[in-house]
Amino acid sequence: MSARSRLADLASSLALRALQRLPPERAHRLALSALAHGLAGSRAAPARARLATRFCGFDLPHPLGLAAGFDKNGEVVEALFGLGFSFVEIGTVTPQPQAGNPRPRLFRLRRQRALINRMGFNNEGLAAARARLQALRSRPGPLGANIGANRDSRDVVADYVEGLRGLYPLVDYVAVNVSSPNTPGLRELQRRERLQELLSALLEARTGLAGSRRAKPLLLKIAPDLTLEDEADVAEVALVLGIDGLIVSNTTVDRPDVVTGRHRDQAGGLSGTPLFLRSTEQLGRFFRLTGGRLPLIGVGGLTSGADAYAKIRAGASALQLYTALVYQGPRVITDVLAELDRLLAEDGYARLKDAIGSDPPG
């Protein structure tokens, strides 16, 4: 490692410690500001041929992307690619600006390297996101937009269609968020009949937007708290209607026994290390339910290369993280990829794609 790299790591470590002393939502705002002003530097992930993967038609140099929730409004897309992510997902974006739930609404569980959030789709709305995306100078990888419905919407399907129409021309894929636990009634959209209605409307709208060109991928982000029957229904609907992939999974309303501390019983979705086993087992079930025919993004509790490898073996073609970035800083990206590359090599895999679904749990 060069002297410059060591200095950058030291600066990043000191900044991370300072941010972790602040209230979590204020720390998040300052992190976005630092990225916007170029203070986070650039950490392009080293090229590792073994880690190249293909997901929904995208050729990625490695499988690790940023999950929705960090950059809700598309404020720092270029800077996030500069950290080394191979793809970035903004949002959740709703048609109208939304303040979200009352504060405090974001809580650290330091011992478990976890977060509980009940943000409530706080964002500046579709028009603001569109303006920022239109102003982007470049992006070196696929950009996704995560869309949702406003809390007071009278027609949630129309909200999702509006989000799709507004962002489709400016991104490379769209993720449909029906799995946040912080908007009343939202998770009911994962029920078979309502999911069919929603996805059918979105696919029809996408056909019109695509015209004679190849349609951009439409993905569905699901909750880790579905019943086995609901999982089977989601998989069947996804396959029958022909959406392009699943993101497995969102935060959980469950509180595993390992979760302790004064914030344990705060309402909201739990992310981070305690979610890893549940989300990875669900990933394996969806790989089997879809027969490996539907690309899967594995997300939930990923903090290391070993975690990444487990999700690949469970059936993920690509990966996302967010909470690990809060606790480990930008270096988590290169650390995860280096360890993943080593583990693949140790097991004799010359290509990541050969390991996908090799050992699905659950």
Side-chain angles (χ1 to χ4, degrees):
M1 182 184 291
S2 68
R4 185 175 182 178
S5 296
R6 287 195 295 271
L7 184 62
D9 281 343
L10 176 60
S12 177
S13 177
L14 292 173
L16 184 63
R17 291 180 189 177
L19 287 173
Q20 290 178 347
R21 292 178 179 273
L22 298 173
E25 198 162 349
R26 185 180 175 195
H28 179 229
R29 187 66 251 168
L30 285 175
L32 288 173
S33 181
L35 285 162
H37 289 89
L39 301 180
S42 178
R43 291 172 172 267
R48 301 175 186 272
R50 195 187 329 270
L51 297 185
T53 189
R54 186 170 177 81
F55 180 82
C56 286
F58 304 122
D59 289 314
L60 304 175
H62 64 77
L64 190 58
L66 178 67
F70 184 84
D71 188 6
K72 292 177 179 290
N73 301 300
E75 298 176 68
V76 291
V77 169
E78 290 167 305
L80 290 168
F81 277 113
L83 295 182
F85 289 110
S86 66
F87 66 105
V88 169
E89 188 173 311
I90 69 161
T92 298
V93 179
T94 58
Q96 300 302 316
Q98 186 161 276
N101 292 320
R103 302 185 189 194
R105 54 193 180 180
L106 181 61
F107 308 89
R108 296 189 189 101
L109 288 75
R110 297 180 189 275
R111 290 183 180 178
Q112 292 83 39
R113 295 208 162 190
L115 297 172
I116 292 174
N117 94 81
R118 52 172 180 266
M119 304 299 288
F121 284 175
N122 59 307
N123 74 108
E124 296 175 4
L126 183 58
R130 279 181 51 83
R132 290 198 178 96
L133 297 183
Q134 286 168 339
L136 286 177
R137 293 167 295 181
S138 65
R139 56 177 188 263
L143 173 63
N146 187 294
I147 60 173
N150 281 110
R151 185 186 184 96
D152 60 356
S153 175
R154 295 184 178 181
D155 187 341
V156 295
V157 172
D159 272 21
Y160 282 98
V161 171
E162 184 177 352
L164 176 71
R165 290 186 185 279
L167 294 172
Y168 182 92
L170 301 170
V171 297
D172 299 297
Y173 73 87
V174 175
V176 182
N177 187 350
V178 293
S179 49
S180 169
N182 301 316
T183 298
L186 189 80
R187 288 190 168 192
E188 291 302 309
L189 293 172
Q190 295 171 112
R191 304 292 185 188
R192 177 191 285 269
E193 293 79 11
R194 299 204 67 191
L195 187 61
Q196 286 177 327
E197 177 191 5
L198 173 62
L199 293 180
S200 295
L202 288 168
L203 289 167
E204 181 180 358
R206 184 183 69 165
T207 298
L209 290 164
S212 60
R213 298 182 179 181
R214 180 180 178 182
K216 296 177 183 179
L218 185 70
L219 310 180
L220 178 70
K221 187 167 187 175
I222 62 171
D225 307 312
L226 296 172
T227 66
L228 295 178
E229 181 180 358
D230 287 339
E231 289 180 354
D233 285 345
V234 168
E236 183 178 352
V237 169
L239 288 171
V240 169
L241 292 184
I243 67 167
D244 301 281
L246 298 174
I247 303 175
V248 186
S249 65
N250 212 318
T251 59
T252 179
V253 296
D254 191 27
R255 297 294 181 266
D257 291 340
V258 296
V259 177
T260 60
R262 64 191 179 95
H263 294 311
R264 181 187 192 277
D265 296 321
Q266 290 286 348
L270 174 72
S271 64
T273 302
L275 180 58
F276 174 75
L277 182 60
R278 175 184 288 245
S279 62
T280 307
E281 288 180 344
Q282 185 184 52
L283 183 67
R285 290 195 295 274
F286 270 100
F287 183 78
R288 286 194 298 272
L289 284 167
T290 60
R293 291 175 287 163
L294 200 63
L296 306 174
I297 294 180
V299 56
L302 194 162
T303 64
S304 68
D307 293 344
Y309 190 33
K311 288 187 182 293
I312 294 293
R313 289 168 64 87
S317 301
L319 308 164
Q320 289 178 330
L321 59 75
Y322 171 5
T323 303
L325 193 64
V326 172
Y327 287 101
Q328 296 167 248
R331 185 170 179 173
V332 67
I333 302 164
T334 50
D335 287 350
V336 164
L337 295 175
E339 185 181 11
L340 175 59
D341 186 61
R342 177 178 59 79
L343 292 171
L344 287 165
E346 288 177 356
D347 283 352
Y349 290 110
R351 301 175 300 179
L352 181 147
K353 73 174 187 177
D354 295 330
I356 295 171
S358 60
D359 185 23

